[in-house]
Amino acid sequence: MAAAVLEGVLRPDLPWRAVSVTVTVGLTPTLLWRRTNPLLMVVIAFAVTSLAPLLTNGDPLDAYTMVYVLVLLYSLFRWGSGREAAIGLAIMIVVVSLSLLSGRLTLGDAGGAFAVTFSAIALGGALRYRAGARMRELDQIKLLERERLARDLHDTVAHHISAMAIRAQAGIATSASRPNSATEALHVIEAEAAQALDEMRAMVRLLRRDQPAESAPVRRITDLGQLASPGRSGPSVEVEISDDIGELPLPIEAAIYRIAQESVTNARRHARHATRIEVRVAADDTSVRLRVSDDGDGGLVRSAGSPGYGLIGMIERADLLGGTCEAGPAPDRGWTVTAVLPRTGAVT
């Protein structure tokens, strides 16, 4: 609006000054709804600019500030549906054709107008395709993380079933000499079966493909010491595990390890001038907390872009287990990843 008013005041060759400034200023609010109602805003803009010559004895508006109408066309093909884009394109062609037939627009001017207009349309379509491709990639990353978690749960259920079989065999073997052992074994089997059933249901909810889960060793919190790698070049990795961790469900331990592993890998790759990476694991009665931090100076660089696929996978895994995972620059320097998971390992 300020640019339109300044053009009306400072440009001496602006024809029909009052009408041009009024129409240009009056249409600027359409930019506020260009994403939520792109087609309606384009229709309003084209309708007003087509009717405006009735007030100027057939002369078209010649305000330079009206170039913002291209933003509306861009928004139509960037945010609108396919049907809205087709309708908007048809309206634009009809308006330009009528302007040619009425003589308000020459063939040369129409060619230039089409070139500029289709440039805005092409830009909107290209960014729309790019955003859609990235969304598909993000969905693929989340799906992959779900499959990894399902594989971990698969191994966990196998562990519980093996324990049930061992207890059953022990109860049978000692039933003659110790009659109470069979009852004890049944209690253990009942508890293991209930936990295995819960985790089996979680695994079924997480699986999204008809592919069998490959067998792989489940990582535990005790495996975090392998991340230190004292002989490896680059920043040193210090791992500290609280003594009050206690016994945790295998999916929670696997998630803690995977998130820590991804965080350490990212720190080694992206933390500029980092000399130390700290991995801290602590727990209370309800949750387990993981904190991975480095002393590099690349926090602003890493936070400038969109989250990487590794970070998206960590957030997805934590969310599936009913916890949270956050990453960002530390107040002083470096980068910090914090994950909080419930001790129960409840899968949402």
Side-chain angles (χ1 to χ4, degrees), residues 24-326:
T24 304
V25 172
L27 286 178
T28 51
T30 57
L31 296 174
L32 300 176
W33 291 277
R34 67 186 186 277
R35 293 191 180 188
T36 55
N37 295 288
L39 178 59
L40 179 60
M41 298 304 106
V42 168
V43 170
I44 292 175
F46 272 92
V48 173
T49 54
S50 299
L51 296 176
L54 298 178
L55 304 176
T56 60
N57 294 331
D59 296 332
L61 299 178
D62 193 28
Y64 298 150
T65 315
M66 285 291 293
V67 71
Y68 68 75
V69 174
L70 294 176
V71 178
L72 299 178
L73 292 175
Y74 160 82
S75 300
L76 176 61
F77 285 83
R78 173 64 180 88
W79 308 105
S81 64
R83 179 181 180 183
E84 290 176 336
I87 295 175
L89 182 61
I91 292 175
M92 182 192 70
I93 294 175
V94 169
V95 170
V96 174
S97 300
L98 292 176
S99 299
L100 283 173
L101 294 176
S102 62
R104 292 183 298 185
L105 194 65
T106 64
L107 188 59
D109 292 337
F114 270 116
V116 174
T117 299
F118 279 106
S119 297
I121 292 174
L123 180 61
L127 293 181
R128 181 194 189 99
Y129 174 80
R130 179 181 177 184
R134 175 166 176 79
M135 287 300 299
R136 289 189 293 271
E137 291 177 352
L138 296 182
D139 290 340
Q140 185 69 21
I141 293 297
K142 292 181 178 181
L143 179 60
L144 179 61
E145 195 62 32
R146 286 171 178 264
E147 291 178 349
R148 289 174 178 171
L149 181 56
R151 183 171 57 221
D152 292 340
L153 290 174
H154 168 269
D155 296 337
T156 303
V157 172
H159 164 76
H160 289 303
I161 293 177
S162 299
M164 292 162 56
I166 293 173
R167 294 297 300 185
Q169 293 170 358
I172 293 173
T174 60
S175 60
S177 58
R178 294 179 54 198
N180 293 333
S181 62
T183 303
E184 296 175 359
L186 288 175
H187 287 301
V188 174
I189 291 173
E190 179 185 14
E192 293 285 346
Q195 189 170 359
L197 182 60
D198 291 339
E199 293 177 354
M200 179 71 76
R201 289 170 177 169
M203 181 180 64
V204 172
R205 286 197 298 268
L206 294 177
L207 285 173
R208 289 296 181 267
R209 291 182 178 176
D210 298 329
Q211 298 177 357
E214 299 178 0
S215 177
V218 179
R219 293 292 188 174
R220 309 294 292 264
I221 289 182
T222 53
D223 296 326
L224 289 175
Q226 301 175 5
L227 300 178
S229 303
R232 187 175 179 178
S233 61
S236 62
V237 180
E238 301 177 5
V239 179
E240 179 182 332
I241 303 176
S242 176
D243 296 333
D244 57 353
I245 292 295
E247 185 177 355
L248 297 172
L250 288 181
I252 294 298
E253 295 202 33
I256 291 292
Y257 178 86
R258 297 298 183 190
I259 295 175
Q261 181 186 43
E262 182 67 28
S263 303
V264 170
T265 301
N266 287 343
R268 288 184 179 276
R269 290 178 179 175
H270 305 297
R272 296 168 47 190
H273 308 124
T275 60
R276 186 179 72 259
I277 302 173
E278 297 181 352
V279 180
R280 301 286 184 264
V281 182
D284 54 27
D285 295 337
T286 60
S287 62
V288 184
R289 182 182 181 89
L290 168 69
R291 185 178 186 272
V292 181
S293 59
D294 62 71
D295 60 351
D297 58 0
L300 294 178
V301 176
R302 282 184 280 177
S303 63
S306 56
Y309 293 148
L311 178 58
I312 294 172
M314 291 190 292
I315 295 174
E316 179 74 5
R317 177 176 283 248
D319 181 66
L320 290 171
L321 291 170
T324 60
C325 181
E326 299 177 351

